[in-house]
């Protein structure tokens, strides 16, 4: 009893009891089954099997009686075809299971990539929105162009007003020279004035004709 208790130690696993089946590589067997299922699913297999069965029938029907190895009712052929079907069905199912496992892994990987891509897209959308908010008060190229165009138009208008004022001053000086008065020599050209600013030449004002008419 003491020796038996010493032999049954609790710190060591028990050896499995029962029949020990031979071990094999499941991956290699799966690839082999897929190859068989792939071969059986082609037109070549059907043609070859049809030719073999036709030769079998012809030989066991037309050959001499002593050379026929499977006479009519073809029992051996039926056994062979049954054996083939009994092995082909599990092999095809095994190949389908392996394909389903690969499809499931591929689907999970696609789902993971789609989730990561969606997260990246949402992150980029938030970043773009933040940049748009940050750049909302910054002068853009179109804004600068519009402002420069507006300033150029204002400068052109100011230049046109200056030219009109110079022409009026020259006309005034020419009239003063004809009347024998001293010209102003452009004294009123310090500030560009025109009709838009409410500035009129003295001879063009409506009230200037009143005193002259009264003096006359």
């Amino acid at each position: 009893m003491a020796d038996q208790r010493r032999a049954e130690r609790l710190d060591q696993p028990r050896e499995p009891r029962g029949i020990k089946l031979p071990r094999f590589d499941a991956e290699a067997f799966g690839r082999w089954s897929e190859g068989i299922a792939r071969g059986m699913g082609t037109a070549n297999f059907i043609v070859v099997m049809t030719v073999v069965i036709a030769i079998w029938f012809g030989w066991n029907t037309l050959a001499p009686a002593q050379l026929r190895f499977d006479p009519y009712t073809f029992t051996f052929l039926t056994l062979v075809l049954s054996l083939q079907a009994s092995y082909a069905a599990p092999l095809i199912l095994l190949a389908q299971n392996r394909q389903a496992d690969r499809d499931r892994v591929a689907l999970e990987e696609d789902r993971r990539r789609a989730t990561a891509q969606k997260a990246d897209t949402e992150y980029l959308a938030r970043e773009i929105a933040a940049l748009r908010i940050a750049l909302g008060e910054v002068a853009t190229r179109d804004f600068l162009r519009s402002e420069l165009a507006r300033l150029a138009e204002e400068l052109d208008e100011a230049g046109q007003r200056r030219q009109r004022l110079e022409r009026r001053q020259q006309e005034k000086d020419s009239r003063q020279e004809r009347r024998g008065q001293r010209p102003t020599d452009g004294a009123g050209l310090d500030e560009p004035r025109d009709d838009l600013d409410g500035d009129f030449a003295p001879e063009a004002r409506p009230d200037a004709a009143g005193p002259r008419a009264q003096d006359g």
Side-chain angles (χ1 to χ4, degrees):
M1 292 294 295
D3 295 340
Q4 185 177 1
R5 289 179 180 177
R6 289 173 186 170
E8 296 179 355
R9 298 182 57 180
L10 298 178
D11 59 344
Q12 294 181 357
R14 287 185 177 181
E15 294 184 359
R17 297 179 180 179
I19 300 174
K20 294 183 179 181
L21 298 176
R23 296 182 179 181
F24 58 92
D25 188 0
E27 185 66 22
F29 186 78
R31 291 195 299 268
W32 178 69
S33 64
E34 286 181 348
I36 293 176
R38 191 177 296 110
M40 293 179 65
T42 60
N44 293 331
F45 176 79
I46 298 175
V47 171
V48 171
M49 187 175 65
T50 302
V51 171
V52 170
I53 293 175
I55 294 173
W56 190 296
F57 284 168
W59 180 267
N60 290 283
T61 303
L62 303 176
Q66 63 273 15
L67 298 178
R68 300 175 186 175
F69 59 90
D70 189 17
Y72 179 72
T73 66
F74 310 109
T75 305
F76 185 58
L77 178 62
T78 304
L79 178 62
V80 170
L81 294 178
S82 300
L83 185 64
Q84 175 189 352
S86 63
Y87 274 96
L91 291 176
I92 293 173
L93 290 176
L94 178 59
Q96 290 179 351
N97 292 333
R98 286 173 58 86
Q99 184 63 37
D101 293 339
R102 285 195 295 269
D103 293 341
R104 184 174 62 255
V105 172
L107 183 61
E108 292 177 356
E109 182 66 17
D110 293 340
R111 186 183 295 109
R112 186 187 64 80
R113 290 182 179 179
T115 303
Q117 186 176 4
K118 181 180 179 181
D120 294 339
T121 304
E122 293 178 353
Y123 173 76
L124 291 176
R126 290 194 297 268
E127 290 295 323
I128 292 173
L131 289 176
R132 287 181 176 177
I133 294 172
L135 294 175
E137 301 298 330
V138 178
T140 59
R141 181 175 59 184
D142 296 335
F143 176 76
L144 293 177
R145 286 180 177 177
S146 62
E147 290 296 320
L148 291 176
R150 186 178 61 82
L151 291 176
E153 292 177 357
E154 292 180 357
L155 291 176
D156 293 339
E157 292 178 357
Q160 293 176 2
R161 290 196 299 268
R162 182 73 176 180
Q163 291 176 1
R164 289 196 298 268
L165 184 59
E166 289 178 354
R167 286 196 301 269
R168 291 178 181 177
Q169 187 65 33
Q170 290 176 1
E171 293 175 357
K172 181 180 178 181
D173 293 342
S174 62
R175 286 195 297 268
Q176 289 179 356
E177 288 178 356
R178 288 196 299 269
R179 294 175 184 176
Q181 297 179 359
R182 184 179 179 183
T184 57
D185 296 333
L189 298 178
D190 294 337
E191 179 182 0
R193 297 177 297 176
D194 57 359
D195 298 340
L196 299 176
D197 297 332
D199 300 329
F200 297 92
E203 63 274 16
R205 292 181 180 178
D207 55 352
R212 292 180 181 177
Q214 293 177 3
D215 294 342

